[in-house]
Amino acid sequence: MDMIRVEPKCRVIIDNDWAGDPDGLVGLAHHALSAANRIVAVTASLTNPMFGPPEGRAVAGADLAAELLRVLKLTAPSTVHAGPDAPFTGQPRESAAARAIIAAAAAPAGAGLPLILVCAGPLTNVADALLLEPAIASAFTLAWVGGAEVNGDEYNYFTDPAAAEFVLGNQDLAVWQFPAETYRRIVAPVAELDQLFRTAGPAGTWLWELFHGLDVPDFVKFGPLWCLGDSAPLVVTGLDDVTSTFTEAGTHPVRRTYTAVDTRLIMADFAAKLRLQG
């Protein structure tokens, strides 16, 4: 039987450093399985040098994201566009990722659906796109997983601080921010994730093998909980923020900071969708 019908409520561009922490790919799978959003572009950004030499990592991340979409048998969009492997320079710079963002922002709003650019990594590709075509700033809302009360301590910010300052300094851009104080509380027990991946069909198996095959620096030690912070924006795309809390500043455009999101809602929805798809 078909699932109860869910109407789409937004179009989504998804940008992340897919070759970094694997929680980004969990977020991608969740977005891809969510009927409430329509993915119009997927782009891949650089990774921090802590994961090894950055050369080729954006393309490697694009390949991972594309492979996951194939495993999910969801081939639209069929191409994941890679950005550069170097941080934002402040000078106009062409990349497939920047051009994909620009094209999606310039496309007509299908069925009147608003456009949300979900970035759960460094803001490099977003900065490059805004520098090339400043007019697109009013065409989408940025949902960014990143930043903190002390920005220097937060991964997505310190991977490319120049990009973050440039993007967040754009006065024409609406931003919904999920800072570290919020996204780091989206956690799941490792045992629960392991059981889910083992029992959720081909996509679950793919994610299980990814998590078990991680090549991480020696200083990274795993505990009993896994942070799935990159899934935070699901409350404004594939789900609803009715159980979230946030503060707002400004009116045109609005700057919103999420102070709490519903971890149980996100995890239960992801587990159900992954099992149904499997």
Side-chain angles (χ1 to χ4, degrees), residues 50-61:
M50 67 182 284
F51 288 102
E55 291 76 15
R57 299 286 286 179
V59 170

Side-chain angles (χ1 to χ4, degrees), residues 144-210:
W144 184 44
V145 178
E149 289 184 7
V150 181
N151 277 329
D153 294 338
E154 196 281 314
Y155 172 84
N156 292 336
Y157 175 87
F158 76 65
T159 296
D160 195 346
E165 294 297 330
F166 179 79
V167 171
L168 299 179
N170 190 310
Q171 298 303 305
D172 296 320
L173 181 65
V175 179
W176 297 339
Q177 185 174 359
F178 299 84
E181 293 80 12
T182 300
Y183 76 71
R184 286 176 181 164
R185 288 183 286 176
I186 305 175
V187 295
V190 167
E192 181 182 3
L193 280 179
D194 201 280
Q195 182 188 53
L196 170 62
F197 294 155
R198 288 171 184 262
T199 58
T205 298
W206 189 92
L207 288 167
W208 187 90
E209 291 174 350
L210 177 76

Side-chain angles (χ1 to χ4, degrees), residues 209-223:
E209 291 174 350
L210 177 76
F211 273 71
H212 279 264
L214 286 177
D215 182 15
V216 297
D218 291 339
F219 65 84
V220 176
K221 306 298 180 185
F222 299 123

Side-chain angles (χ1 to χ4, degrees), residues 6-31:
V6 175
E7 295 292 334
K9 68 175 188 177
C10 61
R11 297 169 295 137
V12 179
I13 304 167
I14 306 180
D15 181 88
N16 208 323
D17 53 341
W18 308 113
D21 293 332
D23 59 315
L25 291 160
V26 170
L28 176 60
H30 198 170
H31 274 101

